[in-house]
Amino acid sequence: MEKIEERIKKLEENQLKMAREYSKQGVAFFMTLAGMRIASLGEEKYREYEKYMRDNMDQTEKQINSAGDVGKVMALAAKSTDDCINYTNEKFR
C-alpha cells in the first residue's frame, strides 16, 4: 500500500510540474500573439506593451511556481490570458 501511495504522490507532483510549464509557455505564447497585434498600433504602443508583458509574465510565473495544485495553476494561466485580452482590447478603443 505504501508503494502505491508513493507512486500516486510522484504522479501528482509530475502532473503539477507539467501544468506549471505548459501554463507558463501558453501564457508567453498568447502574449507574443497579442504583441504582434499591438505592434500594428505603432512603436510607442508596442513599447508600453513590452513593459506590461514583462511585468505580467514575471508576476504570473511567480504565482504559477508557488501554486500547489493543477487547478490553481490553470486558473492563474486563464486569468493572465484574460487580463491580456482586456489590455489589448483597451489599446484598440
Side-chain angles (χ1 to χ4, degrees):
M1 190 61 130
E2 192 174 306
K3 286 184 179 184
I4 292 173
E5 289 174 3
E6 185 178 317
R7 179 73 176 141
I8 289 171
K9 183 178 178 182
K10 285 183 181 183
L11 288 171
E12 288 173 343
E13 288 170 357
N14 191 46
Q15 184 181 31
L16 180 58
K17 181 180 176 182
M18 288 174 56
R20 285 176 176 155
E21 289 307 311
Y22 285 125
S23 292
K24 289 185 283 188
Q25 289 176 18
V27 169
F29 177 74
F30 188 85
M31 288 192 154
T32 300
L33 293 176
M36 288 181 205
R37 185 170 180 225
I38 288 180
S40 70
L41 297 175
E43 189 174 336
E44 183 179 327
K45 293 287 184 188
Y46 184 75
R47 287 188 196 277
E48 291 173 10
Y49 178 74
E50 281 182 316
K51 182 182 178 342
Y52 163 81
M53 185 174 71
R54 275 192 304 274
D55 293 345
N56 189 285
M57 282 300 301
D58 289 345
Q59 180 182 8
T60 299
E61 186 171 340
K62 286 177 188 173
Q63 291 174 343
I64 285 174
N65 285 337
S66 67
D69 64 75
V70 173
K72 180 71 173 174
V73 169
M74 300 306 286
L76 289 166
K79 181 186 180 313
S80 180
T81 300
D82 289 346
D83 290 348
C84 185
I85 290 169
N86 292 335
Y87 178 92
T88 304
N89 286 339
E90 217 25 65
K91 294 297 176 185
F92 279 89
R93 289 187 189 166

